[in-house]
Amino acid sequence: MLSRLQELKKEEETLLKIKVMLQDQLNRLKFEEGALKSMIDAQSEESSTEPATPEVEVNPDDKTEINQTKLVLGAPIDYEMEEEEEDDDDVEDDDLDMVLEEEEEDEDDY
């Protein structure tokens, strides 16, 4: 009976750690969502102030017209920022894996 109580207490501690980690991750995601929304709003404001470029119809079967068509790309992507975010996610996943492994080891002891 006492060992079962200890087991339940350890499980409760583990679940509380996971809850805190998930809340932290949720807060980070909400912050990131807000930042992305503001970036989208800023881009849409910029595009609404730019003069509209007339669209030229291109015959999709004519290769020479397609090759002469100017390729217009969207806003540049900050690849460095994406790499940093992925690294943070890896650390969080590692922390969660460690907590889950500890829980499994504790269960194996009983």
Side-chain angles (χ1 to χ4, degrees):
M1 183 73 164
L2 184 59
S3 64
R4 178 73 178 141
L5 181 61
Q6 290 173 339
E7 180 184 334
L8 290 173
K9 289 217 182 247
K10 283 186 178 183
E11 187 174 333
E12 179 185 21
E13 289 173 10
T14 304
L15 291 173
L16 288 173
K17 288 178 187 177
I18 292 172
K19 178 184 173 188
V20 168
M21 290 170 43
L22 289 173
Q23 285 174 335
D24 288 343
Q25 185 175 11
L26 178 62
N27 289 338
R28 281 191 290 278
L29 289 173
K30 284 181 180 179
F31 179 78
E32 186 176 336
E33 178 187 22
L36 290 173
K37 282 183 179 180
S38 66
M39 288 172 57
I40 290 170
D41 290 343
Q43 286 179 351
S44 64
E45 287 176 7
E46 287 176 8
S47 65
S48 65
T49 59
E50 294 177 4
T53 56
E55 292 186 22
V56 178
E57 289 196 26
V58 177
N59 183 0
D61 296 327
D62 189 1
K63 290 182 180 178
T64 56
E65 280 186 44
I66 292 173
N67 290 336
Q68 293 175 354
T69 304
K70 182 179 178 182
L71 180 62
V72 179
L73 300 176
I77 299 172
D78 188 359
Y79 290 104
E80 185 176 317
M81 184 176 165
E82 288 182 8
E83 290 175 7
E84 291 174 5
E85 290 173 2
E86 290 175 5
D87 292 342
D88 291 345
D89 290 343
D90 291 343
V91 171
E92 292 168 13
D93 291 342
D94 291 343
D95 290 345
L96 184 57
D97 290 341
M98 287 175 42
V99 169
L100 293 174
E101 287 174 3
E102 288 175 4
E103 185 178 83
E104 289 175 359
E105 288 174 4
D106 291 343
E107 289 176 1
D108 292 342
D109 291 342
Y110 295 107

PDB file of all heavy atoms in Angstrom, residues 35-70:
ATOM      1  N   ALA A  35       3.537  37.181 -33.343  1.00  0.00           N
ATOM      2  CA  ALA A  35       4.592  37.789 -34.149  1.00  0.00           C
ATOM      3  C   ALA A  35       4.348  37.537 -35.635  1.00  0.00           C
ATOM      4  O   ALA A  35       4.502  38.447 -36.465  1.00  0.00           O
ATOM      5  CB  ALA A  35       5.951  37.227 -33.739  1.00  0.00           C
ATOM      6  N   LEU A  36       3.942  36.324 -35.978  1.00  0.00           N
ATOM      7  CA  LEU A  36       3.673  36.003 -37.378  1.00  0.00           C
ATOM      8  C   LEU A  36       2.479  36.799 -37.908  1.00  0.00           C
ATOM      9  O   LEU A  36       2.499  37.282 -39.038  1.00  0.00           O
ATOM     10  CB  LEU A  36       3.430  34.505 -37.544  1.00  0.00           C
ATOM     11  CG  LEU A  36       4.650  33.613 -37.356  1.00  0.00           C
ATOM     12  CD1 LEU A  36       4.240  32.142 -37.369  1.00  0.00           C
ATOM     13  CD2 LEU A  36       5.673  33.873 -38.444  1.00  0.00           C
ATOM     14  N   LYS A  37       1.454  36.941 -37.075  1.00  0.00           N
ATOM     15  CA  LYS A  37       0.286  37.724 -37.499  1.00  0.00           C
ATOM     16  C   LYS A  37       0.670  39.177 -37.752  1.00  0.00           C
ATOM     17  O   LYS A  37       0.211  39.777 -38.723  1.00  0.00           O
ATOM     18  CB  LYS A  37      -0.821  37.657 -36.439  1.00  0.00           C
ATOM     19  CG  LYS A  37      -1.599  36.371 -36.472  1.00  0.00           C
ATOM     20  CD  LYS A  37      -2.733  36.380 -35.462  1.00  0.00           C
ATOM     21  CE  LYS A  37      -3.532  35.108 -35.517  1.00  0.00           C
ATOM     22  NZ  LYS A  37      -4.635  35.097 -34.555  1.00  0.00           N
ATOM     23  N   SER A  38       1.500  39.744 -36.886  1.00  0.00           N
ATOM     24  CA  SER A  38       1.909  41.131 -37.087  1.00  0.00           C
ATOM     25  C   SER A  38       2.769  41.271 -38.344  1.00  0.00           C
ATOM     26  O   SER A  38       2.665  42.267 -39.061  1.00  0.00           O
ATOM     27  CB  SER A  38       2.646  41.672 -35.863  1.00  0.00           C
ATOM     28  OG  SER A  38       3.871  41.009 -35.686  1.00  0.00           O
ATOM     29  N   MET A  39       3.606  40.257 -38.634  1.00  0.00           N
ATOM     30  CA  MET A  39       4.403  40.284 -39.862  1.00  0.00           C
ATOM     31  C   MET A  39       3.494  40.229 -41.089  1.00  0.00           C
ATOM     32  O   MET A  39       3.700  40.950 -42.072  1.00  0.00           O
ATOM     33  CB  MET A  39       5.393  39.113 -39.889  1.00  0.00           C
ATOM     34  CG  MET A  39       6.553  39.254 -38.919  1.00  0.00           C
ATOM     35  SD  MET A  39       7.569  37.766 -38.798  1.00  0.00           S
ATOM     36  CE  MET A  39       8.062  37.505 -40.468  1.00  0.00           C
ATOM     37  N   ILE A  40       2.470  39.385 -41.034  1.00  0.00           N
ATOM     38  CA  ILE A  40       1.531  39.270 -42.155  1.00  0.00           C
ATOM     39  C   ILE A  40       0.778  40.579 -42.345  1.00  0.00           C
ATOM     40  O   ILE A  40       0.598  41.049 -43.470  1.00  0.00           O
ATOM     41  CB  ILE A  40       0.557  38.097 -41.919  1.00  0.00           C
ATOM     42  CG1 ILE A  40       1.303  36.769 -42.029  1.00  0.00           C
ATOM     43  CG2 ILE A  40      -0.605  38.149 -42.911  1.00  0.00           C
ATOM     44  CD1 ILE A  40       0.501  35.568 -41.591  1.00  0.00           C
ATOM     45  N   ASP A  41       0.343  41.184 -41.235  1.00  0.00           N
ATOM     46  CA  ASP A  41      -0.356  42.464 -41.325  1.00  0.00           C
ATOM     47  C   ASP A  41       0.541  43.538 -41.933  1.00  0.00           C
ATOM     48  O   ASP A  41       0.099  44.323 -42.770  1.00  0.00           O
ATOM     49  CB  ASP A  41      -0.838  42.912 -39.938  1.00  0.00           C
ATOM     50  CG  ASP A  41      -1.971  42.043 -39.403  1.00  0.00           C
ATOM     51  OD1 ASP A  41      -2.601  41.323 -40.207  1.00  0.00           O
ATOM     52  OD2 ASP A  41      -2.218  42.083 -38.183  1.00  0.00           O
ATOM     53  N   ALA A  42       1.803  43.563 -41.518  1.00  0.00           N
ATOM     54  CA  ALA A  42       2.739  44.557 -42.046  1.00  0.00           C
ATOM     55  C   ALA A  42       2.953  44.340 -43.543  1.00  0.00           C
ATOM     56  O   ALA A  42       2.998  45.304 -44.317  1.00  0.00           O
ATOM     57  CB  ALA A  42       4.070  44.483 -41.310  1.00  0.00           C
ATOM     58  N   GLN A  43       3.070  43.089 -43.957  1.00  0.00           N
ATOM     59  CA  GLN A  43       3.260  42.803 -45.377  1.00  0.00           C
ATOM     60  C   GLN A  43       2.026  43.173 -46.185  1.00  0.00           C
ATOM     61  O   GLN A  43       2.129  43.702 -47.286  1.00  0.00           O
ATOM     62  CB  GLN A  43       3.594  41.327 -45.593  1.00  0.00           C
ATOM     63  CG  GLN A  43       4.995  40.972 -45.177  1.00  0.00           C
ATOM     64  CD  GLN A  43       5.289  39.488 -45.377  1.00  0.00           C
ATOM     65  OE1 GLN A  43       4.388  38.700 -45.674  1.00  0.00           O
ATOM     66  NE2 GLN A  43       6.541  39.100 -45.192  1.00  0.00           N
ATOM     67  N   SER A  44       0.843  42.909 -45.643  1.00  0.00           N
ATOM     68  CA  SER A  44      -0.380  43.239 -46.380  1.00  0.00           C
ATOM     69  C   SER A  44      -0.550  44.748 -46.481  1.00  0.00           C
ATOM     70  O   SER A  44      -1.047  45.261 -47.479  1.00  0.00           O
ATOM     71  CB  SER A  44      -1.600  42.593 -45.729  1.00  0.00           C
ATOM     72  OG  SER A  44      -1.799  43.113 -44.436  1.00  0.00           O
ATOM     73  N   GLU A  45      -0.112  45.499 -45.454  1.00  0.00           N
ATOM     74  CA  GLU A  45      -0.158  46.955 -45.517  1.00  0.00           C
ATOM     75  C   GLU A  45       0.811  47.476 -46.577  1.00  0.00           C
ATOM     76  O   GLU A  45       0.490  48.379 -47.329  1.00  0.00           O
ATOM     77  CB  GLU A  45       0.177  47.572 -44.160  1.00  0.00           C
ATOM     78  CG  GLU A  45      -0.917  47.419 -43.129  1.00  0.00           C
ATOM     79  CD  GLU A  45      -0.516  47.946 -41.766  1.00  0.00           C
ATOM     80  OE1 GLU A  45       0.561  48.561 -41.639  1.00  0.00           O
ATOM     81  OE2 GLU A  45      -1.287  47.731 -40.819  1.00  0.00           O
ATOM     82  N   GLU A  46       1.989  46.882 -46.651  1.00  0.00           N
ATOM     83  CA  GLU A  46       2.975  47.285 -47.654  1.00  0.00           C
ATOM     84  C   GLU A  46       2.469  46.991 -49.060  1.00  0.00           C
ATOM     85  O   GLU A  46       2.607  47.806 -49.954  1.00  0.00           O
ATOM     86  CB  GLU A  46       4.300  46.554 -47.434  1.00  0.00           C
ATOM     87  CG  GLU A  46       5.088  47.039 -46.248  1.00  0.00           C
ATOM     88  CD  GLU A  46       6.351  46.214 -46.030  1.00  0.00           C
ATOM     89  OE1 GLU A  46       6.684  45.368 -46.885  1.00  0.00           O
ATOM     90  OE2 GLU A  46       7.007  46.418 -44.999  1.00  0.00           O
ATOM     91  N   SER A  47       1.870  45.841 -49.235  1.00  0.00           N
ATOM     92  CA  SER A  47       1.395  45.471 -50.570  1.00  0.00           C
ATOM     93  C   SER A  47       0.200  46.321 -50.988  1.00  0.00           C
ATOM     94  O   SER A  47       0.005  46.575 -52.171  1.00  0.00           O
ATOM     95  CB  SER A  47       1.047  43.991 -50.632  1.00  0.00           C
ATOM     96  OG  SER A  47      -0.041  43.703 -49.784  1.00  0.00           O
ATOM     97  N   SER A  48      -0.596  46.792 -50.024  1.00  0.00           N
ATOM     98  CA  SER A  48      -1.745  47.626 -50.385  1.00  0.00           C
ATOM     99  C   SER A  48      -1.296  49.037 -50.777  1.00  0.00           C
ATOM    100  O   SER A  48      -1.985  49.716 -51.525  1.00  0.00           O
ATOM    101  CB  SER A  48      -2.748  47.688 -49.232  1.00  0.00           C
ATOM    102  OG  SER A  48      -2.174  48.342 -48.121  1.00  0.00           O
ATOM    103  N   THR A  49      -0.129  49.492 -50.301  1.00  0.00           N
ATOM    104  CA  THR A  49       0.359  50.816 -50.659  1.00  0.00           C
ATOM    105  C   THR A  49       1.138  50.809 -51.962  1.00  0.00           C
ATOM    106  O   THR A  49       1.304  51.845 -52.585  1.00  0.00           O
ATOM    107  CB  THR A  49       1.274  51.384 -49.551  1.00  0.00           C
ATOM    108  OG1 THR A  49       2.370  50.492 -49.357  1.00  0.00           O
ATOM    109  CG2 THR A  49       0.512  51.571 -48.262  1.00  0.00           C
ATOM    110  N   GLU A  50       1.603  49.649 -52.411  1.00  0.00           N
ATOM    111  CA  GLU A  50       2.339  49.552 -53.667  1.00  0.00           C
ATOM    112  C   GLU A  50       1.356  49.628 -54.827  1.00  0.00           C
ATOM    113  O   GLU A  50       0.232  49.128 -54.732  1.00  0.00           O
ATOM    114  CB  GLU A  50       3.099  48.227 -53.746  1.00  0.00           C
ATOM    115  CG  GLU A  50       4.208  48.106 -52.737  1.00  0.00           C
ATOM    116  CD  GLU A  50       4.886  46.744 -52.796  1.00  0.00           C
ATOM    117  OE1 GLU A  50       4.535  45.929 -53.673  1.00  0.00           O
ATOM    118  OE2 GLU A  50       5.754  46.505 -51.956  1.00  0.00           O
ATOM    119  N   PRO A  51       1.757  50.259 -55.938  1.00  0.00           N
ATOM    120  CA  PRO A  51       0.860  50.306 -57.094  1.00  0.00           C
ATOM    121  C   PRO A  51       0.662  48.913 -57.665  1.00  0.00           C
ATOM    122  O   PRO A  51       1.575  48.086 -57.675  1.00  0.00           O
ATOM    123  CB  PRO A  51       1.587  51.213 -58.088  1.00  0.00           C
ATOM    124  CG  PRO A  51       3.016  51.183 -57.674  1.00  0.00           C
ATOM    125  CD  PRO A  51       3.014  50.936 -56.189  1.00  0.00           C
ATOM    126  N   ALA A  52      -0.539  48.654 -58.119  1.00  0.00           N
ATOM    127  CA  ALA A  52      -0.846  47.338 -58.669  1.00  0.00           C
ATOM    128  C   ALA A  52      -0.146  47.166 -60.005  1.00  0.00           C
ATOM    129  O   ALA A  52      -0.195  48.054 -60.861  1.00  0.00           O
ATOM    130  CB  ALA A  52      -2.350  47.183 -58.847  1.00  0.00           C
ATOM    131  N   THR A  53       0.505  46.024 -60.173  1.00  0.00           N
ATOM    132  CA  THR A  53       1.191  45.755 -61.431  1.00  0.00           C
ATOM    133  C   THR A  53       0.201  45.078 -62.361  1.00  0.00           C
ATOM    134  O   THR A  53      -0.516  44.158 -61.951  1.00  0.00           O
ATOM    135  CB  THR A  53       2.405  44.842 -61.218  1.00  0.00           C
ATOM    136  OG1 THR A  53       1.965  43.648 -60.576  1.00  0.00           O
ATOM    137  CG2 THR A  53       3.455  45.518 -60.375  1.00  0.00           C
ATOM    138  N   PRO A  54       0.128  45.525 -63.590  1.00  0.00           N
ATOM    139  CA  PRO A  54      -0.816  44.897 -64.527  1.00  0.00           C
ATOM    140  C   PRO A  54      -0.376  43.469 -64.824  1.00  0.00           C
ATOM    141  O   PRO A  54       0.806  43.191 -65.031  1.00  0.00           O
ATOM    142  CB  PRO A  54      -0.726  45.777 -65.771  1.00  0.00           C
ATOM    143  CG  PRO A  54       0.590  46.460 -65.671  1.00  0.00           C
ATOM    144  CD  PRO A  54       0.896  46.578 -64.207  1.00  0.00           C
ATOM    145  N   GLU A  55      -1.326  42.576 -64.809  1.00  0.00           N
ATOM    146  CA  GLU A  55      -1.024  41.183 -65.086  1.00  0.00           C
ATOM    147  C   GLU A  55      -1.071  40.944 -66.584  1.00  0.00           C
ATOM    148  O   GLU A  55      -2.025  41.316 -67.254  1.00  0.00           O
ATOM    149  CB  GLU A  55      -2.023  40.266 -64.375  1.00  0.00           C
ATOM    150  CG  GLU A  55      -1.886  40.289 -62.871  1.00  0.00           C
ATOM    151  CD  GLU A  55      -2.788  39.249 -62.220  1.00  0.00           C
ATOM    152  OE1 GLU A  55      -3.184  38.282 -62.896  1.00  0.00           O
ATOM    153  OE2 GLU A  55      -3.089  39.430 -61.054  1.00  0.00           O
ATOM    154  N   VAL A  56      -0.024  40.349 -67.093  1.00  0.00           N
ATOM    155  CA  VAL A  56       0.059  40.045 -68.508  1.00  0.00           C
ATOM    156  C   VAL A  56      -0.264  38.574 -68.681  1.00  0.00           C
ATOM    157  O   VAL A  56       0.311  37.724 -68.009  1.00  0.00           O
ATOM    158  CB  VAL A  56       1.482  40.357 -69.046  1.00  0.00           C
ATOM    159  CG1 VAL A  56       1.587  40.003 -70.509  1.00  0.00           C
ATOM    160  CG2 VAL A  56       1.837  41.791 -68.762  1.00  0.00           C
ATOM    161  N   GLU A  57      -1.189  38.298 -69.569  1.00  0.00           N
ATOM    162  CA  GLU A  57      -1.549  36.903 -69.795  1.00  0.00           C
ATOM    163  C   GLU A  57      -0.465  36.229 -70.620  1.00  0.00           C
ATOM    164  O   GLU A  57       0.044  36.787 -71.583  1.00  0.00           O
ATOM    165  CB  GLU A  57      -2.890  36.813 -70.502  1.00  0.00           C
ATOM    166  CG  GLU A  57      -4.032  37.198 -69.595  1.00  0.00           C
ATOM    167  CD  GLU A  57      -5.367  36.753 -70.165  1.00  0.00           C
ATOM    168  OE1 GLU A  57      -5.399  35.782 -70.946  1.00  0.00           O
ATOM    169  OE2 GLU A  57      -6.353  37.380 -69.806  1.00  0.00           O
ATOM    170  N   VAL A  58      -0.108  35.029 -70.205  1.00  0.00           N
ATOM    171  CA  VAL A  58       0.936  34.265 -70.874  1.00  0.00           C
ATOM    172  C   VAL A  58       0.309  32.991 -71.395  1.00  0.00           C
ATOM    173  O   VAL A  58      -0.434  32.316 -70.677  1.00  0.00           O
ATOM    174  CB  VAL A  58       2.088  33.940 -69.907  1.00  0.00           C
ATOM    175  CG1 VAL A  58       3.128  33.081 -70.587  1.00  0.00           C
ATOM    176  CG2 VAL A  58       2.687  35.208 -69.362  1.00  0.00           C
ATOM    177  N   ASN A  59       0.617  32.696 -72.623  1.00  0.00           N
ATOM    178  CA  ASN A  59       0.139  31.460 -73.213  1.00  0.00           C
ATOM    179  C   ASN A  59       0.929  30.308 -72.599  1.00  0.00           C
ATOM    180  O   ASN A  59       2.150  30.212 -72.781  1.00  0.00           O
ATOM    181  CB  ASN A  59       0.334  31.507 -74.729  1.00  0.00           C
ATOM    182  CG  ASN A  59      -0.209  30.267 -75.410  1.00  0.00           C
ATOM    183  OD1 ASN A  59      -0.730  29.371 -74.762  1.00  0.00           O
ATOM    184  ND2 ASN A  59      -0.072  30.225 -76.732  1.00  0.00           N
ATOM    185  N   PRO A  60       0.295  29.406 -71.851  1.00  0.00           N
ATOM    186  CA  PRO A  60       1.036  28.341 -71.168  1.00  0.00           C
ATOM    187  C   PRO A  60       1.683  27.342 -72.120  1.00  0.00           C
ATOM    188  O   PRO A  60       2.555  26.584 -71.713  1.00  0.00           O
ATOM    189  CB  PRO A  60      -0.013  27.658 -70.302  1.00  0.00           C
ATOM    190  CG  PRO A  60      -1.327  28.056 -70.861  1.00  0.00           C
ATOM    191  CD  PRO A  60      -1.131  29.354 -71.568  1.00  0.00           C
ATOM    192  N   ASP A  61       1.279  27.357 -73.383  1.00  0.00           N
ATOM    193  CA  ASP A  61       1.863  26.414 -74.340  1.00  0.00           C
ATOM    194  C   ASP A  61       3.082  26.984 -75.059  1.00  0.00           C
ATOM    195  O   ASP A  61       3.817  26.245 -75.711  1.00  0.00           O
ATOM    196  CB  ASP A  61       0.815  26.009 -75.386  1.00  0.00           C
ATOM    197  CG  ASP A  61      -0.334  25.253 -74.753  1.00  0.00           C
ATOM    198  OD1 ASP A  61      -0.079  24.523 -73.764  1.00  0.00           O
ATOM    199  OD2 ASP A  61      -1.472  25.387 -75.223  1.00  0.00           O
ATOM    200  N   ASP A  62       3.317  28.287 -74.950  1.00  0.00           N
ATOM    201  CA  ASP A  62       4.430  28.921 -75.654  1.00  0.00           C
ATOM    202  C   ASP A  62       5.646  29.015 -74.733  1.00  0.00           C
ATOM    203  O   ASP A  62       5.694  29.832 -73.814  1.00  0.00           O
ATOM    204  CB  ASP A  62       4.015  30.310 -76.143  1.00  0.00           C
ATOM    205  CG  ASP A  62       5.055  30.936 -77.059  1.00  0.00           C
ATOM    206  OD1 ASP A  62       6.084  30.285 -77.333  1.00  0.00           O
ATOM    207  OD2 ASP A  62       4.821  32.081 -77.491  1.00  0.00           O
ATOM    208  N   LYS A  63       6.648  28.181 -74.976  1.00  0.00           N
ATOM    209  CA  LYS A  63       7.825  28.116 -74.104  1.00  0.00           C
ATOM    210  C   LYS A  63       8.628  29.411 -74.128  1.00  0.00           C
ATOM    211  O   LYS A  63       9.190  29.815 -73.119  1.00  0.00           O
ATOM    212  CB  LYS A  63       8.721  26.943 -74.498  1.00  0.00           C
ATOM    213  CG  LYS A  63       8.127  25.602 -74.184  1.00  0.00           C
ATOM    214  CD  LYS A  63       9.084  24.483 -74.541  1.00  0.00           C
ATOM    215  CE  LYS A  63       8.456  23.139 -74.222  1.00  0.00           C
ATOM    216  NZ  LYS A  63       9.315  22.028 -74.601  1.00  0.00           N
ATOM    217  N   THR A  64       8.698  30.091 -75.245  1.00  0.00           N
ATOM    218  CA  THR A  64       9.488  31.331 -75.303  1.00  0.00           C
ATOM    219  C   THR A  64       8.851  32.409 -74.445  1.00  0.00           C
ATOM    220  O   THR A  64       9.551  33.163 -73.777  1.00  0.00           O
ATOM    221  CB  THR A  64       9.627  31.831 -76.758  1.00  0.00           C
ATOM    222  OG1 THR A  64       8.330  32.000 -77.333  1.00  0.00           O
ATOM    223  CG2 THR A  64      10.447  30.867 -77.577  1.00  0.00           C
ATOM    224  N   GLU A  65       7.516  32.473 -74.421  1.00  0.00           N
ATOM    225  CA  GLU A  65       6.853  33.463 -73.562  1.00  0.00           C
ATOM    226  C   GLU A  65       7.076  33.136 -72.087  1.00  0.00           C
ATOM    227  O   GLU A  65       7.292  34.017 -71.267  1.00  0.00           O
ATOM    228  CB  GLU A  65       5.343  33.507 -73.861  1.00  0.00           C
ATOM    229  CG  GLU A  65       4.983  34.305 -75.080  1.00  0.00           C
ATOM    230  CD  GLU A  65       3.479  34.435 -75.221  1.00  0.00           C
ATOM    231  OE1 GLU A  65       2.811  34.696 -74.202  1.00  0.00           O
ATOM    232  OE2 GLU A  65       2.990  34.279 -76.345  1.00  0.00           O
ATOM    233  N   ILE A  66       7.008  31.861 -71.772  1.00  0.00           N
ATOM    234  CA  ILE A  66       7.196  31.439 -70.376  1.00  0.00           C
ATOM    235  C   ILE A  66       8.604  31.774 -69.919  1.00  0.00           C
ATOM    236  O   ILE A  66       8.810  32.301 -68.825  1.00  0.00           O
ATOM    237  CB  ILE A  66       6.922  29.928 -70.222  1.00  0.00           C
ATOM    238  CG1 ILE A  66       5.443  29.649 -70.451  1.00  0.00           C
ATOM    239  CG2 ILE A  66       7.353  29.434 -68.847  1.00  0.00           C
ATOM    240  CD1 ILE A  66       5.089  28.184 -70.498  1.00  0.00           C
ATOM    241  N   ASN A  67       9.602  31.519 -70.755  1.00  0.00           N
ATOM    242  CA  ASN A  67      10.990  31.784 -70.384  1.00  0.00           C
ATOM    243  C   ASN A  67      11.283  33.275 -70.259  1.00  0.00           C
ATOM    244  O   ASN A  67      12.179  33.673 -69.533  1.00  0.00           O
ATOM    245  CB  ASN A  67      11.945  31.145 -71.391  1.00  0.00           C
ATOM    246  CG  ASN A  67      11.934  29.639 -71.298  1.00  0.00           C
ATOM    247  OD1 ASN A  67      11.591  29.086 -70.259  1.00  0.00           O
ATOM    248  ND2 ASN A  67      12.294  28.964 -72.377  1.00  0.00           N
ATOM    249  N   GLN A  68      10.529  34.115 -70.962  1.00  0.00           N
ATOM    250  CA  GLN A  68      10.751  35.558 -70.893  1.00  0.00           C
ATOM    251  C   GLN A  68       9.948  36.225 -69.785  1.00  0.00           C
ATOM    252  O   GLN A  68      10.144  37.392 -69.487  1.00  0.00           O
ATOM    253  CB  GLN A  68      10.398  36.198 -72.244  1.00  0.00           C
ATOM    254  CG  GLN A  68      11.356  35.784 -73.340  1.00  0.00           C
ATOM    255  CD  GLN A  68      10.941  36.315 -74.695  1.00  0.00           C
ATOM    256  OE1 GLN A  68       9.878  36.905 -74.846  1.00  0.00           O
ATOM    257  NE2 GLN A  68      11.798  36.121 -75.685  1.00  0.00           N
ATOM    258  N   THR A  69       9.065  35.468 -69.163  1.00  0.00           N
ATOM    259  CA  THR A  69       8.242  36.024 -68.087  1.00  0.00           C
ATOM    260  C   THR A  69       9.104  36.264 -66.859  1.00  0.00           C
ATOM    261  O   THR A  69       9.900  35.408 -66.458  1.00  0.00           O
ATOM    262  CB  THR A  69       7.101  35.051 -67.728  1.00  0.00           C
ATOM    263  OG1 THR A  69       6.353  34.775 -68.886  1.00  0.00           O
ATOM    264  CG2 THR A  69       6.217  35.643 -66.656  1.00  0.00           C
ATOM    265  N   LYS A  70       8.948  37.440 -66.273  1.00  0.00           N
ATOM    266  CA  LYS A  70       9.724  37.783 -65.080  1.00  0.00           C
ATOM    267  C   LYS A  70       9.190  36.992 -63.890  1.00  0.00           C
ATOM    268  O   LYS A  70       7.992  36.953 -63.638  1.00  0.00           O
ATOM    269  CB  LYS A  70       9.621  39.280 -64.798  1.00  0.00           C
ATOM    270  CG  LYS A  70      10.440  39.724 -63.619  1.00  0.00           C
ATOM    271  CD  LYS A  70      10.315  41.220 -63.399  1.00  0.00           C
ATOM    272  CE  LYS A  70      11.106  41.636 -62.187  1.00  0.00           C
ATOM    273  NZ  LYS A  70      10.956  43.065 -61.918  1.00  0.00           N
TER     274      LYS A  70
END
